[in-house]
Amino acid sequence: MTTYDAIVIGSGITGGWAAKELTEKGLETLVIERGRNVEHRKDYITEHKPNWQFPLRNARLGVGTQSAREYPIQARTGQFHESVKHFFIKDHRNPYVEDKPFTWIQGDQVGGKSLIWGRQVYRWSNLDFEANLRDGHGVDWPIRYADLAPWYSYVERFIGVSGEHLGLAHLPDGEFQPPMEMNAGEKFVKAGLERAFPGRRLTIGRVAILTQAVNGRLPCHYCGPCERGCSTGSYFSSQSSTLPAARATGRLTIVPDSVVHSLIYDAAKNRVTGVRVVDTTTKQTRDYSARLIFLCASTLATTRVLLTSKSPRFPDGLANSSGALGRYLMDHHFVVGANGAIEGLLDRYYQGNRPNGIYIPRFRNLGDDASRRGDYVRGFGYQGGASRQGWTRGGSEAGFGVELKRKLHDPGRWTMGLTGFGECLPRADNQVQLADQTDEFGIPLLRIHCTWGENELAMRKDMAASAAEMLEAAGCQEVQTRDAYKEGELGAEPGLGIHEMGTARMGRDPRTSVLNAHNQAHDVPNLFVTDGACMASSSCVNPSITYMALTARACDYAVGELKRGNL
Ligand SMILES: Cc1cc2nc3c(=O)[nH]c(=O)nc-3n(C[C@H](O)[C@H](O)[C@H](O)COP(=O)(O)OP(=O)(O)OC[C@H]3O[C@@H](n4cnc5c(N)ncnc54)[C@H](O)[C@@H]3O)c2cc1C
Ligand code: SF4
């Protein structure tokens, strides 16, 4: 058996960070990844391919289409296009059982979902870290914003985040590079909205895309299709950022095509001593050992490994003396908001394809009377943007022949859309368990049970109504609300937000939580979980930068403990 100082399971956003931090702190580190290797630049096989060179012109591949037949789950997200399908898992490689619709989007390759993520990054605040304590849903977070603030800064400086300082306590500013510019339509809506609602702000998205060079990575040149990979390294991915840093130490080993089956636990020492891996090509098993294990396989995959790792001491899954493992699954609920048209500004356009939109920070339930809602707790923010209609509008416009063609040479009018992302409460009955079936590697499948509750459904009504109210107040025309949620159907089901989190939550009390304030398992000191599984609540902002900050902080603590002889 090969032995390392540390093993990191998963090479996506959190695994890449763990690899960088642990190797830079002197540990010989093995990263185990279930997917294939993806080499920066060389393997971005569609990066510069024009849409017209794809057989279906880079169409979205929908559920039930011939092109998506191996991806019946992945095809549920609107991000699943012809040009990027090789960065999504073929669903038969990792099936699961869904009691009610739950969409599990996965990127099984070196780099994980860091290659295809949307790159929106917002710090959490004490409004989030104190939320459970304040309204009694879930357990209190064992940390506060002050614990994580220096780690957010540390992460932001390394990954590069462009954005605007707003001075809002509930959406803390960070170490920002210069913001991208809003277009004319967005500036129009911003002016009207902030005039009509003095407490609300509309800002350019805070995004892990460079506007200034960092560590040999170049500023973004606005080509647009980031999800195909970026040879200039302008957006943060494991490939562009963390894995090269880890590799530069000379202490990194990555084994792709190797799925972790379970962790090996030594009851006499009360330590995990290694991992059992199945080679995804040969189906042979092999073991690796280490003094420290970081689980970074993404929320549900991580919890699956823990649930599968049963022993007489932990018959219900490793580090699960609390019984909380698998419970309190959350995601952001979205696909709800409003759209409107903007009259005029027809002499204004934009250059290039800015890979970013706008953001409207949360303005509900901020702790003061003015923002308090009686019908739900927590809150939501909006992402969106303005653009001018293109020639495809011809499909729904009246007219024909030369006259219509001539008209379509020019851009159409401006439209503006707002889509809400809402916080989801941690509920014990939203949970994952092991199913009776196993996959092709002999690993038990996950059974996922997750639904939106009354709080989320009440919030959605406000998300649609407030979006319309703001667009109208800003001067937009023909404003229409939309909400894709239908109970038991696809469209706005849990999981579709791709911000799944919880199921191995942090907490102060080992009787009710799996991890302590340093992402260390209460039950097993040399086991750390730093992906979304650790989350005790969900906030309404995109979560990945919080996972990164928690990972860097946990690595610092773990290496300290190792050196102090406590692990
Ligand atoms: C289209 C899209 C847009 C998104 N937009 C945003 C956004 O704007 N902002 C934001 O904050 N988040 C966004 N996300 C979510 C973000 O991608 C995830 O939160 C983030 O990638 C989670 O990091 P992770 O390391 O936990 O998981 P991943 O990045 O998914 O990495 C996990 C890795 O572990 C591997 N793995 C899994 N199981 C095993 C096993 N048993 N053995 C070995 N390896 C294993 C996987 O193959 C994968 O490579 C988006 C996601 C998608 C898909
Ligand atoms: S838009 Fe910017 S970040 Fe995205 S692929 Fe192009 S250069 Fe890279």
Side-chain angles (χ1 to χ4, degrees), residues 13-14 33-34 109 112-113 118-120 260 297-298 531 544:
I13 288 186
T14 59
E33 167 55 53
R34 64 170 289 152
Q109 59 255 328
K113 295 197 290 289
R119 309 159 300 277
Q120 294 290 310
V260 170
S298 78
D531 57 28
S544 302

Side-chain angles (χ1 to χ4, degrees), residues 256-531:
D257 304 307
S258 304
V259 60
V260 170
H261 173 282
S262 52
L263 305 185
I264 302 163
Y265 172 70
D266 183 332
K269 295 184 187 149
N270 188 31
R271 297 289 185 274
V272 274
T273 53
V275 300
R276 177 141 307 149
V277 162
V278 182
D279 186 305
T280 59
T281 315
T282 64
K283 311 268 168 77
Q284 300 290 309
T285 58
R286 57 182 190 276
D287 295 348
Y288 296 99
S289 68
R291 291 188 289 159
L292 187 61
I293 308 276
F294 266 70
L295 255 172
C296 299
S298 78
T299 298
L300 298 176
T302 278
T303 294
R304 184 185 184 197
V305 169
L306 291 173
L307 288 169
T308 304
S309 307
K310 294 182 180 181
S311 63
R313 162 81 175 87
F314 294 110
D316 300 321
L318 186 63
N320 189 20
S321 65
S322 64
L325 184 67
R327 294 188 179 273
Y328 309 101
L329 174 60
M330 299 164 280
D331 183 25
H332 290 144
H333 58 101
F334 83 129
V335 208
V336 55
N339 289 47
I342 300 169
E343 293 297 327
L345 303 176
L346 294 179
D347 57 340
R348 308 296 299 278
Y349 199 61
Y350 31 82
Q351 284 192 320
N353 299 304
R354 187 194 65 200
N356 191 12
I358 59 90
Y359 191 69
I360 299 178
R362 174 173 163 181
F363 50 82
R364 296 295 197 210
N365 293 324
L366 299 180
D368 58 331
D369 285 344
S371 67
R372 181 166 301 122
R373 296 283 301 194
D375 48 346
Y376 62 86
V377 295
R378 317 277 171 119
F380 56 87
Y382 292 101
Q383 297 181 25
S387 58
R388 288 191 71 173
Q389 294 176 312
W391 60 267
T392 52
R393 72 187 187 280
S396 56
E397 273 193 13
F400 60 91
V402 176
E403 177 59 18
L404 178 64
K405 276 191 179 167
R406 198 210 52 75
K407 214 165 79 181
L408 297 178
H409 279 177
D410 296 327
R413 64 179 177 170
W414 287 90
T415 59
M416 176 87 186
L418 297 178
T419 297
F421 280 74
E423 179 159 1
C424 162
L425 291 179
R427 286 179 13 230
D429 54 344
N430 280 340
Q431 62 171 314
V432 298
Q433 297 163 315
L434 295 183
D436 296 332
Q437 307 94 310
T438 54
D439 65 12
E440 60 181 300
F441 312 113
I443 305 172
L445 306 192
L446 275 188
R447 171 181 287 280
I448 305 176
H449 175 88
C450 191
T451 58
W452 300 131
E454 282 175 16
N455 199 66
E456 287 88 43
L457 297 181
M459 191 187 294
R460 291 181 78 81
K461 290 190 183 137
D462 189 24
M463 289 159 85
S466 292
E469 186 186 31
M470 288 190 291
L471 289 178
E472 275 167 0
C476 293
Q477 314 287 317
E478 299 163 42
V479 173
Q480 290 189 327
T481 59
R482 57 191 153 77
D483 183 350
Y485 177 70
K486 288 202 184 83
E487 194 186 341
E489 294 183 23
L490 300 178
E493 70 282 7
L496 197 65
I498 325 182
H499 295 161
E500 69 279 7
M501 49 188 136
T503 65
R505 67 184 179 187
M506 294 167 74
R508 299 170 195 277
D509 187 345
R511 290 168 305 179
T512 57
S513 59
V514 180
L515 307 169
N516 69 15
H518 289 99
N519 296 74
Q520 180 182 32
H522 285 298
D523 292 336
V524 185
N526 66 337
L527 173 62
F528 289 77
V529 174
T530 68
D531 57 28

Side-chain angles (χ1 to χ4, degrees), residues 166-241:
L166 294 177
L168 298 176
H170 63 282
L171 193 76
D173 294 333
E175 315 275 330
F176 297 145
Q177 296 193 349
M180 295 180 178
E181 196 182 347
M182 279 188 255
N183 63 37
E186 292 158 354
K187 286 177 184 166
F188 170 84
V189 174
K190 173 184 169 68
L193 185 158
E194 292 182 356
R195 204 167 36 239
F197 300 94
R200 300 186 194 176
R201 304 297 301 272
L202 187 154
T203 186
I204 189 73
R206 294 175 177 175
V207 70
I209 298 182
L210 304 182
T211 52
Q212 292 174 336
V214 169
N215 297 333
R217 297 167 50 210
L218 299 178
C220 172
H221 52 269
Y222 282 32
C223 65
C226 307
E227 60 285 354
R228 301 184 192 180
C230 178
S231 285
T232 50
S234 306
Y235 76 82
F236 169 80
S237 66
S238 299
Q239 269 80 357
S240 70
S241 309

